[in-house]
Amino acid sequence: MEKQKLFSSASHLSHSSTSIISRNSLLLLITLLVFLGVFLPLFLFPNTYSPSSSSLPSKWDDYSLAKAAKFVAKNGTLIVCTVSYPFFPFLNNWLISVTRQKQQDKVLVIAEDYTTLYKVNSKWPGHAVLIPPALDSQTAHNFGSQGFFNLTSRRPEHLLQLLELGYNVMYNDVDMVWLQDPFPYLEGNHDVTNICSCMIFLRPTNGAKLLMKQWIKELHAQPWSKSNKGNDQPGFNWALGKTAHQVDVYLLSQAAFPTGGVYFWYKTWVKETKGKHVIIHNNYIVGFNNKMKRFRQFGLWLVDDHALESPLGKLE
């Protein structure tokens, strides 16, 4: 009888131990699967991972344009760009060139999506702000597309807000590279100094504000359509024409601020104007990869070898 009890107890303990081991093994297996599912993609595909806005901290959600401008501005002046996440490498490339001229502290990045907002501010706190509504962070919008128009048509509204806050504002597209400091070329008290809508310097005057308001009107009057695949430049030109007698506009020298249609195509002209180039714009070419390839061909793609010069550092 006692042998049977001992056998029964041993059998019960054996089943209990087996059950506990099974439960522990199952929990361990589930934990391992969750870990691999979350972190393995980060190790295998580090460059393709892009966090959604819902998975990011909300620390910067209430960071307003007024707060950002106050934090970044130096001597009442800001250098502003607008960026969506697919063009992040171009932002970094542009920032390296700006940093070489010791002007990076004035840079305010207007992020067009939450991924850009959090990525910039995680590496360079306070230097990015998002003005709703946020755009899709995964699509690279090419020149002439509706997405490109939607992105660029917001520009005069952002600039007008900064002028209303009382700041001098330089705007740059990020497919540019600085070879010299442009600020010595912005002397005088002109309302607007520009080469095109992609490179503008504005003072917080009534004239500059009037031009921005007219630019906004022109863009609203000529929205993008399949038959009219416009961009912000024609609207800017029309606004300049309609305010010509009310706004003091100074046009920058093309020798100092050449377009891509000149700099990358006319080798003789480049040699004749050597030493005069200040900012190079990689326009008159469509497509992310085409722009990058051309910058590389001319030794202007800096992120490959000089990423640590950027305030954002090397992109992961």
Side-chain angles (χ1 to χ4, degrees), residues 2 8-9 45 67 76 124-125 131 156 167 215 226 234 236 252 272:
E2 287 188 11
S8 177
S9 298
F45 310 106
K67 288 179 182 177
W124 200 21
I131 303 169
Y167 295 101
W215 189 5
K226 290 184 178 179
F236 182 68
L252 291 163
E272 290 173 350

Side-chain angles (χ1 to χ4, degrees), residues 65 153-162 212 216 220:
L65 184 63
S153 65
R154 289 152 54 100
R155 182 185 310 168
E157 297 177 8
H158 301 333
L159 297 177
L160 179 60
Q161 288 183 62
L162 291 169
M212 293 300 102
I216 294 167
H220 288 170

Side-chain angles (χ1 to χ4, degrees), residues 145-156:
S145 68
Q146 185 173 6
F148 182 85
F149 178 84
N150 293 342
L151 193 153
T152 58
S153 65
R154 289 152 54 100
R155 182 185 310 168

Side-chain angles (χ1 to χ4, degrees), residues 184-209:
Y185 295 80
L186 307 176
E187 295 178 354
N189 295 312
H190 308 289
D191 297 323
V192 181
T193 303
N194 78 295
I195 190 69
C196 64
S197 66
C198 50
M199 160 56 199
I200 316 172
F201 183 72
L202 304 162
R203 289 182 172 83
T205 62
N206 290 333
K209 295 173 189 176

Side-chain angles (χ1 to χ4, degrees), residues 38-82:
V38 172
F39 294 101
L40 186 60
L42 298 181
F43 292 105
L44 293 178
F45 310 106
N47 295 323
T48 59
Y49 177 73
S50 176
S52 65
S53 59
S54 60
S55 68
L56 292 166
S58 59
K59 177 180 177 181
W60 299 102
D61 287 2
D62 299 324
Y63 192 49
S64 67
L65 184 63
K67 288 179 182 177
K70 184 177 180 180
F71 175 74
V72 173
K74 300 292 180 290
N75 299 318
T77 300
L78 293 160
I79 303 169
V80 173
C81 64
T82 57

